[in-house]
Structure formats: C-alpha cells, structure tokens
Amino acid sequence: SPLTTNIYVSTSSGSDSFSGLSEFTPVRTLAKAQELARDGFPDWVLLKRGDVWNEHFGNWEKSGASSAAPMLISSYGTGPRPIIRPGTDNNGFRILNIPVAHLAVVGLHFQGPLDPFSNRRAGFSVLGPIDDFLIEDCLIESFDVNISLHAFAGPVTNVRLRRSIVADSISLDAISTGLYVDTAEDVLIEECLFDHNGWREGVLPKSQFNRNVYVQWNAKDVTFRRNISARSSASGIAMRPGGVVD
C-alpha cells in the first residue's frame, strides 16, 4: 500500500537508536519494532533472515488497515527464517485483551526451549479479541502447545493457518498439542505439516490426551484441508465439533 512503512529489525546489525526505516538502519529488538509499527496502518515489520532473537513479541497490540491492506510481520534478506526463542515461561507471540485485526505473520521460526525439562508455554497464544489473522510459512516447534486459538478474552474469528510446520510440542506436566482450537470461529487450517507433537522418545511416552491437532466441541466453522498429520502422540486430529476435513 502507498501508506505502508517498512520497519527493519536485525540482531546482527541493528540498534534501537537507529530509525529502523531501511535495511542499513535496522532496530534491534522486537519490542522497539512493535513500538514503531502504527496501529491501523498496513505497516511491514521485517526481521532479517539468519538472525536470532532471544526474546518474544509479548502482547501484540497493533492492527492493519483492512483485509486488503493488513499489517505484516515477516522477513527480509536471504538465508533461513528468522528465529524467535522466547525462553522459559514465555509465549513467542500473544494476543490478549487489546482488539487486533488484519494481521499476517509470515515466514518466521518460533522455537521453544530444546531442553525437555524446561518450563515452556505457547509459540502462538491467541486469546482474543482478534479478527482476520493469518499465520503462513512459519515453523513453530518445541512449546507446550505450539499454537493455541482460544477465545478467552474476546472473539477469535477468521483465522488462517497455512503452509506451516507445527512440530515437536512437549510438556511434562500439562496437555501438549501441536494446534489447539477452542471457541474460535471461521478457522482455516490448510496445507500444513503437523509432526511428532505431544511426546518425545525416552522422555515423554505417547498419551491418549496429546495430539497433533485438537479442535474443541465449541469451535465453529473449522476447515482442515490438504494437511499432513504424522507421528502424533494420539490421533492425528480430534475434530469434536465436526466441520470440513478434506
């Protein structure tokens, strides 16, 4: 959009004293990038490929302009996806209490603690209120729950999870699943790979309660289409409310 401002972020070459408005003057932290993004505008927050952030997005509170002009959080440069490692007891990305709309997160890697005995939370904790949210081409791995869509603080509607890898969730003291959907409405899960969620060889045995995908009975209008669900602790998908599974 002509109204878009690009905000560049890099741990290898950035500083929060920079403007963040070019690849040559990137800011360093995710917190500073969110501060610079303008609520209600189709701004792009771009993380440098190959860089690693040992922090988290916290509560994301900024919206895009419209469905045709969303706010985008993605990447720039070449190399592997930017990695976000929130550490113990932190979510990678959370939406809570502040209404958010028209937001896309594309091409990022969220990695929970690799030590299976660490305390961990969710890669994406979407608690509402949010409408028109896209997660695409992301790798989310090694959290208690890799992605949680739960209308706890407000409606969670029109969410699309596309062409992403959701793998290796684990929790030693709670239910663990790759994707959990509860009271959300109009959810599309399309062309993703769900693999090896809810258990770990030699650490956590398979359980009937842990799954690659768990959709609660109170979710509505859920479509699960052209996905691969492999090596789940229990069923590949529990689709309790019914819906479209193709």
Side-chain angles (χ1 to χ4, degrees):
S1 166
L3 299 177
T4 295
T5 293
N6 290 346
I7 300 161
Y8 295 89
V9 197
S10 171
T11 55
S12 60
S13 60
S15 169
D16 282 356
S17 64
F18 293 165
S19 69
L21 298 180
S22 78
E23 296 183 28
F24 306 103
T25 58
V27 296
R28 180 177 179 83
T29 66
L30 303 178
K32 185 63 176 181
Q34 182 175 184
E35 177 186 323
L36 293 175
R38 301 169 300 166
D39 189 34
F41 284 82
D43 288 350
W44 291 13
V45 176
L46 303 174
L47 281 58
K48 187 176 182 180
R49 283 182 169 267
D51 281 4
V52 178
W53 282 261
N54 292 309
E55 58 174 311
H56 53 89
F57 281 98
N59 290 343
W60 189 268
E61 299 178 349
K62 304 293 181 69
S63 296
S66 67
S67 58
M71 182 169 288
L72 172 68
I73 306 170
S74 190
S75 64
Y76 72 97
T78 59
R81 295 178 182 91
I83 299 177
I84 293 91
R85 292 176 177 155
T88 59
D89 279 329
N90 291 308
N91 300 293
F93 189 100
R94 185 166 74 165
I95 294 171
L96 176 65
N97 292 328
I98 303 299
V100 174
H102 316 309
L103 177 66
V105 180
V106 178
L108 303 184
H109 180 177
F110 292 82
Q111 187 179 72
L114 298 181
D115 174 9
F117 300 99
S118 297
N119 293 326
R120 65 196 71 227
R121 292 194 180 182
F124 282 84
S125 178
V126 181
L127 299 172
I130 186 167
D131 179 64
D132 186 19
F133 183 40
L134 169 68
I135 302 170
E136 187 164 23
D137 186 32
C138 288
L139 169 57
I140 308 103
E141 61 171 340
S142 299
F143 292 90
D144 274 357
V145 176
N146 283 323
I147 303 173
S148 177
L149 308 176
H150 182 190
F152 171 78
V156 174
T157 58
N158 189 14
V159 178
R160 288 99 62 211
L161 173 63
R162 301 189 68 251
R163 297 187 173 186
S164 293
I165 300 168
V166 182
D168 298 325
S169 71
I170 182 174
S171 175
L172 301 184
D173 56 6
I175 299 296
S176 177
T177 187
L179 169 65
Y180 179 70
V181 182
D182 188 329
T183 59
E185 297 186 26
D186 190 13
V187 178
L188 172 65
I189 307 157
E190 183 177 57
E191 297 181 357
C192 295
L193 169 63
F194 298 92
D195 182 50
H196 198 254
N197 289 290
W199 66 291
R200 184 77 57 86
E201 293 89 339
V203 177
L204 182 67
K206 290 184 177 182
S207 162
Q208 63 175 320
F209 302 109
N210 296 343
R211 295 173 168 84
N212 272 340
V213 180
Y214 190 104
V215 182
Q216 265 289 14
W217 63 271
N218 49 18
K220 296 180 181 179
D221 298 325
V222 179
T223 299
F224 187 84
R225 183 166 62 207
R226 294 194 298 271
N227 300 286
I228 296 172
S229 183
R231 299 190 301 171
S232 177
S233 175
S235 53
I237 175 173
M239 192 73 154
R240 296 202 180 279
V244 176
V245 179
D246 181 2

